[in-house]
Amino acid sequence: IGNAYVIRSNEIDVPQTVINKDNISLEIKRFEKAVKSTLNRYKEILTNLPSSAPKESAAFINAHMMMLKDPLLVDQTIKIIRKDKVNAEYALKIQSQKLIEIFDNMDDAYLRNKKDDVTHITNRLLRNLLGIVSHSLDELSDKNLSGKIIVSKDLSPAETMFIKEHKISAFVTDLGSQISHTAIVARSLKMPAVVGLHSSRKYIKHNDLIIVDGKRGTIIINPSEY
């Protein structure tokens, strides 16, 4: 039971720009710089993991770091920049959509959930490229969120660790499933959570008093005293 802290993460508007052939190499370098910067941010999160963090947390963060080195994400995006003469953001969006579609069509439910990892990594890269500085929960370290209940579209495993470190009581997300990485980390932390609610942010307002029942998978907004 706690007051909601609603994260209004707007969808990222990805522009499409034609790049002059003389500037293609500069655009590729800009993308590579964003990949390196994002990788360094993950390394920082990994280094600062508290000793109480479950082993799954480091594994999931390492998995994200490995994807940032995966040719299917990095090299193919560079090929699109070079071939189609488009900006890095648009090329990344095109390639990530291809990867998400591949995972989405897999029979195995766990592998299908890998598309969420692609989305998390792509969003970090896009915000880096577009210069959006404060974009994720793990960067809100200056706020006192103790006892709050996070309400968000989605959370990455790294952001879930931020929740534990800052004594947040529970969280609710629109996306996710019982076997998503975020849900697995939440169970390891013994933290109440309900995921896959689809439209929770439409009904929950900032500072609403809410009850999160992780066992039943339900939430109650502004409950009566009885």
Side-chain angles (χ1 to χ4, degrees), residues 25 63-64 99 119 131 166 169 186 193 218:
S25 60
H64 281 202
L99 293 175
T119 299
H166 287 76
S169 296
T218 59

mmCIF file of all heavy atoms in Angstrom, residues 25 63-64 99 119 131 166 169 186 193 218:
data_model
loop_
_atom_site.group_PDB
_atom_site.id
_atom_site.type_symbol
_atom_site.label_atom_id
_atom_site.label_comp_id
_atom_site.label_asym_id
_atom_site.label_seq_id
_atom_site.Cartn_x
_atom_site.Cartn_y
_atom_site.Cartn_z
ATOM 1 N N SER A 25 29.964 8.726 -43.024
ATOM 2 C CA SER A 25 30.936 8.244 -42.038
ATOM 3 C C SER A 25 30.770 8.962 -40.700
ATOM 4 O O SER A 25 30.922 8.354 -39.633
ATOM 5 C CB SER A 25 32.369 8.419 -42.556
ATOM 6 O OG SER A 25 32.651 9.790 -42.814
ATOM 7 N N ALA A 63 23.272 -9.329 -20.217
ATOM 8 C CA ALA A 63 22.613 -9.716 -21.468
ATOM 9 C C ALA A 63 22.346 -8.491 -22.335
ATOM 10 O O ALA A 63 22.531 -8.522 -23.559
ATOM 11 C CB ALA A 63 21.303 -10.444 -21.166
ATOM 12 N N HIS A 64 21.931 -7.382 -21.696
ATOM 13 C CA HIS A 64 21.708 -6.140 -22.439
ATOM 14 C C HIS A 64 23.021 -5.616 -23.020
ATOM 15 O O HIS A 64 23.062 -5.120 -24.151
ATOM 16 C CB HIS A 64 21.077 -5.090 -21.522
ATOM 17 C CG HIS A 64 19.605 -5.300 -21.329
ATOM 18 N ND1 HIS A 64 18.757 -4.286 -20.933
ATOM 19 C CD2 HIS A 64 18.821 -6.380 -21.491
ATOM 20 C CE1 HIS A 64 17.531 -4.748 -20.854
ATOM 21 N NE2 HIS A 64 17.541 -6.020 -21.183
ATOM 22 N N LEU A 99 14.078 -6.981 -35.621
ATOM 23 C CA LEU A 99 14.436 -7.928 -34.564
ATOM 24 C C LEU A 99 13.233 -8.261 -33.684
ATOM 25 O O LEU A 99 13.028 -9.421 -33.308
ATOM 26 C CB LEU A 99 15.569 -7.354 -33.711
ATOM 27 C CG LEU A 99 16.922 -7.188 -34.404
ATOM 28 C CD1 LEU A 99 17.918 -6.502 -33.482
ATOM 29 C CD2 LEU A 99 17.463 -8.539 -34.861
ATOM 30 N N THR A 119 13.565 -3.638 -27.107
ATOM 31 C CA THR A 119 12.898 -2.344 -26.922
ATOM 32 C C THR A 119 13.628 -1.493 -25.896
ATOM 33 O O THR A 119 13.854 -0.287 -26.111
ATOM 34 C CB THR A 119 11.435 -2.554 -26.480
ATOM 35 O OG1 THR A 119 10.744 -3.282 -27.492
ATOM 36 C CG2 THR A 119 10.736 -1.215 -26.274
ATOM 37 N N GLY A 131 19.593 13.163 -27.538
ATOM 38 C CA GLY A 131 19.974 14.106 -26.494
ATOM 39 C C GLY A 131 18.969 14.240 -25.373
ATOM 40 O O GLY A 131 18.917 15.278 -24.697
ATOM 41 N N HIS A 166 16.174 2.086 -3.650
ATOM 42 C CA HIS A 166 15.572 3.326 -3.145
ATOM 43 C C HIS A 166 14.312 3.075 -2.311
ATOM 44 O O HIS A 166 13.501 3.960 -2.123
ATOM 45 C CB HIS A 166 15.284 4.281 -4.308
ATOM 46 C CG HIS A 166 16.532 4.895 -4.861
ATOM 47 N ND1 HIS A 166 17.399 4.191 -5.665
ATOM 48 C CD2 HIS A 166 17.071 6.127 -4.715
ATOM 49 C CE1 HIS A 166 18.415 4.973 -5.993
ATOM 50 N NE2 HIS A 166 18.240 6.136 -5.431
ATOM 51 N N SER A 169 8.109 0.619 -2.594
ATOM 52 C CA SER A 169 7.315 -0.475 -2.026
ATOM 53 C C SER A 169 6.874 -1.512 -3.052
ATOM 54 O O SER A 169 6.807 -2.710 -2.742
ATOM 55 C CB SER A 169 6.068 0.094 -1.333
ATOM 56 O OG SER A 169 6.438 0.893 -0.246
ATOM 57 N N ALA A 186 11.700 -9.008 -9.882
ATOM 58 C CA ALA A 186 10.784 -8.619 -8.798
ATOM 59 C C ALA A 186 10.541 -9.775 -7.836
ATOM 60 O O ALA A 186 10.531 -9.599 -6.609
ATOM 61 C CB ALA A 186 9.457 -8.127 -9.388
ATOM 62 N N ALA A 193 4.393 -6.771 -7.211
ATOM 63 C CA ALA A 193 4.347 -6.171 -8.549
ATOM 64 C C ALA A 193 3.205 -6.775 -9.341
ATOM 65 O O ALA A 193 2.868 -7.943 -9.175
ATOM 66 C CB ALA A 193 5.670 -6.395 -9.280
ATOM 67 N N THR A 218 -3.791 -8.006 -8.976
ATOM 68 C CA THR A 218 -4.789 -6.936 -9.033
ATOM 69 C C THR A 218 -4.282 -5.701 -8.288
ATOM 70 O O THR A 218 -3.393 -5.784 -7.440
ATOM 71 C CB THR A 218 -6.115 -7.375 -8.392
ATOM 72 O OG1 THR A 218 -5.876 -7.736 -7.018
ATOM 73 C CG2 THR A 218 -6.715 -8.555 -9.129
#
